[in-house]
Amino acid sequence: MNLKTIAGIGVYIAILVATSIWVGQQAYGWLPPQASAESMLIDDLFSLFSAIGAFILLGITGLVLYTVFTQSVSRFDTSDGPHMEGNVKLEIFWTAVPLLLVFFLAAYSYQTYQQMAVRGPMDLVHLHHMPGTTPTAYAADLEPEPVEEVEVYAKQWAWSFRYPSAGVVSADLHLPVNKRVRLRMTADEVIHGFYVPAFRLKQDIMPKRTTEFEFTPVREGTYRLNDSQFSGTYFAIMTANVVVESPDSYRQWLASAAAQPAVPAENPAYSEYTNKRLKRFGGWKTIAPAPPPLVNALAEG
Amino acid sequence: MTNVPVEGIAIPDIAHPEPQNNWRKYFSFSTDHKVIGIQYLVTSFVFFLIGGLLSMVIRAELITPQADLIDRTLYNSMFTMHGTIMIFLWIFPSLVGLANYLVPLMIGARDMAFPRLNAAAFWMVPIFGILLMTSYFLPAGTAQAGWWSYPPVSTQNPTDSIITGEFVWILAVAISGVSSIMGAVNFVTTIVRMRAPGMTFFRMPAYVWTVFSAQIIQLAALPALTAGAIMLLFDAAAGTAFFNPDKGGNPVLFQHFFWFYSHPAVYVMVLPIFGVFSEIFPVYSRKPLFGYKVVAVSSLLITTVSVLVWVHHMYASNTPGWMRMLFMATTMLVAVPTGIKVFAWVATIWKGKLRLDTPMLFCLGALIMFVFAGITGVMLASVPIDIHVNNTYFVVGHFHYIVYGTITMGMFAAIYHWFPKMTGRMYYEGLGKLHFALAFIGVNLNFFPMHPLGLQGMLRRVSSYEPEYAFWNVVASIGAFLLGMSTIPFILNMVGAWVQGKPAPDNPWRAIGLEWLVSSPPPVENFEELPIVVSGPYGYGKSDPLVENAAALKEG
């Protein structure tokens, strides 16, 4: 290798590094607003993966394009390229580097996961007997205990949320900001998924089983909850609002909801099912939606 | 008693009935691996067109946020059947077809080890394909639970009839499994037992290595899916409770059965395409495959790791944290052997004499798109990122960069490359390049927008969506229609060239490999005399002979 080649490689790598760092910064903008403590951790991780990914993708694409533009020959050129069968040092290098990179990325992801401490289904069971678990992310800034507990019910095709302390059932999920929430989730007939893109969190809800789930909303606003596991005909419209608000307005809302009588919630799946005009092509027989849940607080907006 | 045939008595050749030498042979129960290969390829391409038309309807529905084109039940059946057809009736059969055609020729065998089993395995494909299509005429319509068919959604039945679309779907998948197992037994036996003299394992073309590795996965993992499908059939039709939570069953158990096969299945699909890349890059770069032995062995490494990754589809399911972490590590490990291959291909074209014919263009495009898919794949393996993007369009985008950007594009590369060998005619280069340009732009317009959509939170399998997702959906739909159109020059090219193309020489690409030593198309028994192999498969830039008896190989 002469000096010119080394300089060329150096410039190429410098451009790649600069571009990759830029892509890593851009990555934050591809995601929804950060509305939970966990979302910040996930976005940092995603930014890192995007930067490394950009380096690899652009690096390889650059090499391929360089070869295509400099090494193409006419169809009448019948000569062969150099007979290069391999290079042991090079092959060890490009096996070892991805191996180390993969270990690094797995370890980093593991650390992020520990900090998130979302406590999926089985973890919580074990954690009750296990003192000294990993501290939650941003735990210092937040009220440690008690957590806010909400029961989540999913059925074909409606969400409802029960607040056991206040005896309130709601069509929207209201949460106080900066306070850790514990959800106890159950489903009626089929698997549903709890997914709020702004929280970056997702957990399947199994029928006839309680799935516990924890996280911390950190930004006031109204977000959308989706069903993330295909649940049949009206899957696409099984949504609900998540309202994250200040502790004061949260308490006010609970109090005013407790004073309301329980009435059937509005249910887009049910109205679509009964509206014959919407049956265009297909129109096959479907599972009938379950009756709308009885709620004290109807959906807002 | 002796078994010596008595002179003067004609012994009918039962094992190898001579196929008719015209188009009718492709509609007969032929046992010639080359005829069966083309039968597979053409049949699967017909289903590719059907599956593609379904995806056009899906993309037409998604061009606006509302569910305003088709009924939700029909939409659900469309994405279910699109996925099922593309996997079980396009990718699997087309790859098996290609391998059927090439493997015996490449290893110097006269046919597959079990020719009749081979033909029987093929004929199951149109049978279950037609079976699947007839479910559109059932009262409750065809299956609507997605190609995963997760219970309890898949076992819900709004009609009184036992014969539902789901019932037919499970039956079709089970038959497909039987057909694939028959094929796998045949391939593994053929590769282990029927190699020509001198064809050691490390003289086999890399493509044969990948087929070997892929078919071992079929043997090891496919029984899990078949078992799961049959248990699901019992649940749906006979009221058993393997997966029914109402009666104490566990739906997560099905997810384990399903993904224990269906993740490795992705490697069954992509490994042979890695093999195609390893064959095509050397020919069109005039250089040996860089690091051939490591590339060959890395296929077996993928086979080994592939059965240890299935839970990464179930991070958001009822999966405990320790299991999430374990499967994150094993999943990411797949990046190492695939990385070895990518670097080897880049090193193969490096300093080569590149000829940008259609097969090479398809391979280069597919290579870049595969690298992109690999990067999003490692992101998906990371548990925290996956918790956000799984079941969103990010996964759909990643998956389609593999199945279209890599596998289908690689398949087209293979068809163009071996078309002169298969038909004895040259394809039209201009139409081929047009096909590549339309397909490459179409794939990226269609599937790239799915990544931002998924990051924003748009879920897969929805028939309507929030208005903020509209822009990227319109782009994706335009890309989909372009991609649909890209098959038109391909069909024109294949049909036109087969009927009246320029006659092809035996070895139009000056490629090295046993299949190029015989005439185009090859004679029925492949080799007049079995080849005696004396060197490795990639002697570009060297003048060593590949076989000792080149002149004696051809018939007539």
Side-chain angles (χ1 to χ4, degrees):
Chain A
M1 256 196 274
N2 59 28
L3 209 62
K4 209 177 145 195
T5 320
I6 293 169
I9 294 171
V11 170
Y12 184 58
I13 290 177
I15 294 172
L16 279 180
V17 169
T19 318
S20 311
I21 291 171
W22 180 78
V23 169
Q25 292 307 310
Q26 294 301 303
Y28 289 98
W30 305 336
L31 295 152
Q34 296 179 325
S36 73
E38 292 76 11
S39 67
M40 299 172 181
L41 293 163
I42 292 179
D43 291 4
D44 291 344
L45 189 68
F46 179 70
S47 166
L48 174 75
F49 272 69
S50 301
I52 294 173
F55 183 86
I56 296 169
L57 178 67
L58 297 175
I60 291 176
T61 309
L63 289 179
V64 169
L65 288 179
Y66 175 79
T67 311
V68 167
F69 285 116
T70 57
Q71 307 289 325
S72 294
V73 296
S74 94
R75 55 169 48 217
F76 303 106
D77 183 347
T78 55
S79 61
D80 276 355
H83 183 85
M84 297 195 297
E85 292 208 321
N87 180 328
V88 177
K89 274 187 201 156
L90 200 58
E91 287 167 51
I92 290 172
F93 174 75
W94 72 42
T95 309
V97 169
L99 197 64
L100 293 175
L101 192 62
V102 159
F103 282 143
F104 166 71
L105 290 176
Y108 201 90
S109 301
Y110 176 72
Q111 199 195 351
T112 302
Y113 184 75
Q114 289 269 309
Q115 285 180 335
M116 283 165 60
V118 286
R119 297 193 189 156
M122 312 277 202
D123 297 346
L124 214 61
V125 183
H126 302 303
L127 287 178
H128 288 312
H129 313 288
M130 257 169 30
T133 44
T134 323
T136 308
Y138 303 100
D141 313 337
L142 307 165
E143 291 178 43
E145 293 281 331
V147 292
E148 199 65 25
E149 296 207 355
V150 186
E151 293 167 9
V152 177
Y153 296 96
K155 58 183 177 182
Q156 281 172 317
W157 289 265
W159 295 98
S160 58
F161 309 95
R162 186 170 167 269
Y163 295 79
S165 53
V168 164
V169 181
S170 169
D172 287 340
L173 176 60
H174 282 250
L175 299 171
V177 73
N178 287 338
K179 192 161 183 187
R180 196 154 178 86
V181 187
R182 182 178 301 157
L183 303 181
R184 295 186 197 286
M185 310 192 286
T186 41
D188 262 4
E189 312 88 350
V190 301
I191 305 171
H192 296 276
F194 179 93
Y195 176 42
V196 183
F199 294 168
R200 316 276 188 283
L201 292 176
K202 192 180 282 124
Q203 175 60 50
D204 285 3
I205 310 169
M206 294 294 149
K208 313 286 175 243
R209 201 193 283 188
T210 306
T211 304
E212 303 207 13
F213 195 53
E214 278 188 16
F215 58 90
T216 312
V218 294
R219 187 171 174 274
E220 290 181 34
T222 303
Y223 309 101
R224 198 176 307 98
L225 164 67
N226 292 299
D227 182 5
S228 60
Q229 191 63 265
F230 182 71
S231 59
T233 312
Y234 301 101
F235 162 68
I237 46 176
M238 189 170 159
T239 60
N241 283 332
V242 182
V243 182
V244 178
E245 53 197 348
S246 68
D248 282 346
S249 44
Y250 172 70
R251 269 191 295 276
Q252 273 171 20
W253 172 81
L254 264 188
S256 68
Q260 300 288 324
V263 292
E266 287 157 31
N267 189 337
Y270 197 77
S271 35
E272 240 189 65
Y273 178 73
T274 43
N275 187 348
K276 294 278 177 255
R277 207 169 46 80
L278 289 171
K279 304 235 181 285
R280 272 171 293 265
F281 304 103
W284 290 311
K285 213 171 177 179
T286 66
I287 297 287
L294 294 175
V295 295
N296 305 97
L298 288 168
E300 295 156 20
Chain B
M1 288 288 282
T2 66
N3 284 330
V4 178
V6 182
E7 230 173 290
I9 296 174
I11 299 169
D13 189 355
I14 294 168
H16 292 280
E18 194 84 356
Q20 296 130 311
N21 212 6
N22 58 31
W23 58 270
R24 283 195 188 84
K25 73 182 168 193
Y26 295 110
F27 294 89
S28 69
F29 190 86
S30 170
T31 54
D32 181 350
H33 72 96
K34 299 182 290 299
V35 174
I36 294 172
I38 287 170
Q39 285 174 328
Y40 263 116
L41 283 169
V42 174
T43 309
S44 60
F45 187 73
V46 170
F47 283 108
F48 174 70
L49 294 178
I50 297 172
L53 287 175
L54 295 183
S55 73
M56 300 288 115
V57 179
I58 294 171
R59 284 317 315 176
E61 169 67 78
L62 293 178
I63 211 163
T64 58
Q66 302 80 24
D68 46 10
L69 181 68
I70 51 171
D71 175 69
R72 291 201 198 266
T73 54
L74 187 59
Y75 181 86
N76 294 341
S77 82
M78 288 276 168
F79 77 73
T80 301
M81 294 302 264
H82 165 71
T84 309
I85 289 171
M86 286 306 197
I87 288 168
F88 293 105
L89 286 159
W90 156 244
I91 294 186
F92 275 133
S94 65
L95 290 171
V96 170
L98 187 69
N100 237 301
Y101 197 97
L102 292 177
V103 166
L105 282 167
M106 282 182 164
I107 62 172
R110 290 210 164 93
D111 203 332
M112 296 283 282
F114 311 111
R116 282 162 180 255
L117 191 71
N118 203 17
F122 162 70
W123 282 102
M124 293 168 99
V125 175
I127 289 172
F128 79 77
I130 291 165
L131 181 72
L132 201 60
M133 299 313 289
T134 55
S135 67
Y136 271 102
F137 303 104
L138 290 170
T142 186
Q144 295 172 44
W147 84 278
W148 307 350
S149 237
Y150 277 4
V153 173
S154 58
T155 51
Q156 285 188 318
N157 183 356
T159 65
D160 302 327
S161 166
I162 288 179
I163 311 294
T164 60
E166 191 61 36
F167 184 96
V168 173
W169 184 92
I170 298 170
L171 215 58
V173 168
I175 299 174
S176 154
V178 173
S179 162
S180 293
I181 289 273
M182 286 157 74
V185 168
N186 216 342
F187 278 117
V188 172
T189 314
T190 305
I191 294 168
V192 173
R193 302 287 304 170
M194 310 239 327
R195 282 168 289 125
M199 176 63 84
T200 60
F201 267 93
F202 278 118
R203 280 181 189 165
M204 290 197 312
Y207 177 73
V208 180
W209 272 94
T210 58
V211 171
F212 185 58
S213 309
Q215 297 298 328
I216 289 174
I217 298 178
Q218 293 282 53
L219 287 181
L222 189 50
L225 176 71
T226 313
I230 288 169
M231 288 157 86
L232 189 65
L233 192 71
F234 279 132
D235 267 15
T240 55
F242 294 112
F243 311 126
N244 182 347
D246 281 335
K247 299 180 191 165
N250 186 356
V252 179
L253 182 63
F254 178 82
Q255 300 180 1
H256 283 287
F257 272 112
F258 182 82
W259 289 116
F260 186 77
Y261 171 66
S262 294
H263 191 83
V266 176
Y267 306 114
V268 177
M269 297 184 228
V270 81
L271 271 168
I273 294 302
F274 293 163
V276 167
F277 293 168
S278 304
E279 295 308 309
I280 289 180
F281 282 130
V283 178
Y284 295 86
S285 312
R286 312 302 312 159
K287 276 182 65 202
L289 178 63
F290 197 91
Y292 157 72
K293 280 189 185 174
V294 182
V295 172
V297 172
S298 69
S299 301
L300 282 179
L301 287 178
I302 293 174
T303 300
T304 315
V305 182
S306 76
V307 291
L308 299 170
V309 300
W310 78 96
V311 175
H312 71 230
H313 291 271
M314 300 160 58
Y315 287 154
S317 188
N318 266 17
T319 304
W322 64 266
M323 206 192 256
R324 288 171 167 173
M325 295 303 119
L326 182 71
F327 280 90
M328 170 164 76
T330 52
T331 303
M332 285 191 182
L333 215 51
V334 180
V336 177
T338 46
I340 291 174
K341 285 180 192 282
V342 169
F343 291 126
W345 295 324
V346 174
T348 303
I349 62 172
W350 188 252
K351 293 197 169 162
K353 305 251 181 185
L354 270 60
R355 288 181 304 169
L356 299 178
D357 292 328
T358 307
M360 184 63 164
L361 287 176
F362 269 98
C363 280
L364 289 170
L367 171 63
I368 299 298
M369 290 191 283
F370 173 67
V371 173
F372 182 70
I375 287 161
T376 54
V378 175
M379 289 176 178
L380 285 166
S382 169
V383 172
I385 299 175
D386 182 79
I387 286 177
H388 174 44
V389 291
N390 95 50
N391 275 356
T392 69
Y393 261 90
F394 191 85
V395 178
V396 182
H398 159 76
F399 178 70
H400 281 83
Y401 264 85
I402 293 282
V403 290
Y404 206 119
T406 309
I407 299 174
T408 303
M409 297 285 271
M411 194 67 210
F412 285 134
I415 291 171
Y416 283 110
H417 180 67
W418 280 288
F419 184 83
K421 182 53 60 185
M422 291 175 178
T423 61
R425 309 269 188 170
M426 294 304 285
Y427 65 85
Y428 301 109
E429 195 62 54
L431 278 175
K433 284 186 170 136
L434 176 66
H435 175 204
F436 168 74
L438 291 176
F440 188 76
I441 297 167
V443 168
N444 287 293
L445 269 187
N446 190 354
F447 303 124
F448 180 79
M450 294 180 173
H451 296 85
L453 281 174
L455 290 172
Q456 285 293 318
M458 180 173 163
L459 288 159
R460 72 194 299 191
R461 297 174 175 171
V462 288
S463 38
S464 56
Y465 53 84
E466 302 304 323
E468 72 235 40
Y469 303 134
F471 170 73
W472 284 115
N473 271 299
V474 172
V475 178
S477 291
I478 292 169
F481 301 138
L482 188 64
L483 199 52
M485 284 195 308
S486 76
T487 49
I488 295 170
F490 175 71
I491 297 168
L492 289 178
N493 203 346
M494 293 297 110
V495 175
W498 204 338
V499 174
Q500 54 172 24
K502 214 169 60 176
D506 293 347
N507 188 0
W509 316 121
R510 295 182 298 118
I512 292 171
L514 293 180
E515 77 271 31
W516 301 106
L517 293 174
V518 295
S519 58
S520 297
V524 174
E525 295 281 303
N526 294 353
F527 304 97
E528 171 78 343
E529 194 181 300
L530 281 183
I532 299 162
V533 182
V534 290
S535 76
Y538 301 104
Y540 299 96
K542 226 166 47 169
S543 50
D544 292 356
L546 176 64
V547 292
E548 221 173 65
N549 52 343
L553 296 182
K554 266 180 244 180
E555 237 178 34

